[in-house]
Amino acid sequence: STQSTGNQRNLDVLAEETLQRADPNDAMYGKWLTHTQVLDLVAPDDKDVQLVVDWARANGLQADGSRRDVVLVQGTRSKVESVLSAQVREWEHATTGTVRVGACSHSRT
């Protein structure tokens, strides 16, 4: 499976909010945003998420955009490589054995 983040919005606003809430001299100090408030601020528009989901499904992949901040896409390696025009590889961490999957090259068409 792979994840695709859409165009996040208001990252500059989130950074400013975070700095204010971390400053003991600011009235907002310690009043942290909830996960939902962060998503409301930075997540891509619902219509943009749905466009990605629809595109992935139309290309034979499974897609779930319910998390709002990321679209989860699943498919066979060959299908993902074909749809994304990318070479997908696995990397294993030498110490922990954790395996990560990612595209090491792609071509724009």
Side-chain angles (χ1 to χ4, degrees):
S1 72
T2 187
Q3 297 181 3
S4 171
T5 57
N7 291 328
Q8 292 182 313
R9 306 169 290 132
N10 301 320
L11 293 178
D12 56 336
V13 175
L14 179 60
E16 182 61 30
E17 291 272 344
T18 302
L19 290 174
Q20 287 176 340
R21 292 161 196 271
D23 181 353
N25 298 317
D26 194 288
M28 296 303 291
Y29 178 68
K31 298 177 183 173
W32 301 108
L33 297 173
T34 66
H35 183 257
T36 300
Q37 288 171 317
V38 172
L39 282 178
D40 289 344
L41 187 62
V42 301
D45 289 331
D46 291 343
K47 65 179 174 53
D48 293 333
V49 171
Q50 192 58 51
L51 282 171
V52 173
V53 169
D54 292 345
W55 174 85
R57 289 179 179 166
N59 282 281
L61 300 169
Q62 297 173 10
D64 175 12
S66 64
R67 287 189 37 192
R68 295 181 59 203
D69 60 334
V70 63
V71 175
L72 302 175
V73 178
Q74 290 185 309
T76 64
R77 172 178 278 176
S78 62
K79 185 65 168 176
V80 169
E81 288 180 332
S82 172
V83 169
L84 298 180
S85 299
Q87 292 180 334
V88 176
R89 298 290 181 254
E90 293 179 357
W91 290 270
E92 183 175 343
H93 190 278
T95 305
T96 66
T98 302
V99 175
R100 299 282 186 221
V101 177
C104 57
S105 67
H106 70 283
S107 63
R108 294 182 184 244
T109 55

